[in-house]
Every structure is written in structure tokens, then in C-alpha cells.
Amino acid sequence: MALDMAKYQKLFLEEASEHLGEISHALIELEKDTSGADAIDTLFRMAHSIKSMAASLGYDAIAELAHVIEDRMESIRRAGRVSQGAELSLLFRGLEGLERMVAVVRETGESPPSDHSLLAALAEPPPAAVPETTQADESRSRRVVPDAGPVGKPKPAAAGAGIAEAKKKASSPARRVR
């Protein structure tokens, strides 16, 4: 029993088009609010779905591009926001790359070629993934703090010091109990 690949290709094209529309909408939302968790999550999920569908049908270039977008969105997710400007522009380029590749499948039925420069650009760590430091953060990190040992536990005293201290307290007039 042979698989009807045309049926699966048609399903892929329909679902990929819907997912690309969701990605486009999410990117527009991120232009308005760079920390929009819903938009970031949507972008991540849609890239993941496209990756999975493309890989199952052997559209390796689409799966690879969707995968690097998914990885980038995971970094952005951890950072809690996407950087304005170049970062958003790169994500829009990723969307356009996926749209071009899906169009090739629609027109030819064949797997499209990879876009190596776009893959490389998207594989670079996003600026939002690197926590921004303030001048106060930098001055705190340069401050030297003496080691006080583990929090909540006193530092061990020199051998015998605890006994001498206890004897001293016991012999003090205020401490004697009659």
C-alpha cells in the first residue's frame, strides 16, 4: 500500500500557510510590545509545528530554517522580550524565508534549497538573550565581599575558643545563678 504523498503535501501546504499567518501576526504584535509573552510563545509554537511537518515530509531546508527560528525564539522566551530593530527585522526575514520555501513546495512539489546566510544569521545568539547590565550591576560585581561562609551557619571558631568563651560567660557576675 503506497502512501499518497500528494495528500500529505496538500495538508502540509494548508497548515504551513496558517502557521505562517500566525507567525506574521505574532511579529506584528511584537513590534507593538517587545515583551509580549503570548506573541513570543505563538512564534515558538508555530516554528516548531512547521519544523515537525516539514521534517516528516523530507523538506529538510524548511525544517532546518524553522528549527533555527524555534531555537532563537527559545532564547528570546528565556530573556522575556525581543530586541527592537535588528532582532525584529531578522525574525521577519526568517518568516519571509519560510514563505519563499513553502512557495517552492507549492509550485514545484520539491524541497527548496537552503538559505545558508539566513540560517547563519538566525543561529547567532539574540541580543535579548544577553541580560543587560546597569552601571550599578557592574559596580556591585566589582565589590569584594569577605567570605562569611554559608548563609545561616556560623563560621567555625578556632579550636578551644568556644570552651574559653563559655567559661568566661559562666564566671561573669551577671551570669551566675544563685
Side-chain angles (χ1 to χ4, degrees), residues 24-87:
S24 178
H25 180 72
L27 286 171
I28 291 167
E29 289 301 312
L30 285 172
E31 282 182 312
K32 298 173 191 170
D33 177 12
T34 59
S35 61
D38 288 342
I40 290 170
D41 287 343
T42 295
L43 228 158
F44 175 86
R45 284 191 327 275
M46 295 303 109
H48 175 80
S49 294
I50 291 171
K51 173 192 77 173
S52 299
M53 292 185 314
S56 69
L57 292 173
Y59 302 137
D60 296 336
I62 297 173
E64 187 177 22
L65 179 55
H67 183 73
V68 295
I69 293 171
E70 177 187 26
D71 285 349
R72 189 169 196 90
M73 292 313 300
E74 178 59 32
S75 295
I76 290 169
R77 206 186 225 183
R78 283 192 305 269
R81 66 189 250 338
V82 64
S83 297
Q84 280 283 3
E87 179 67 15

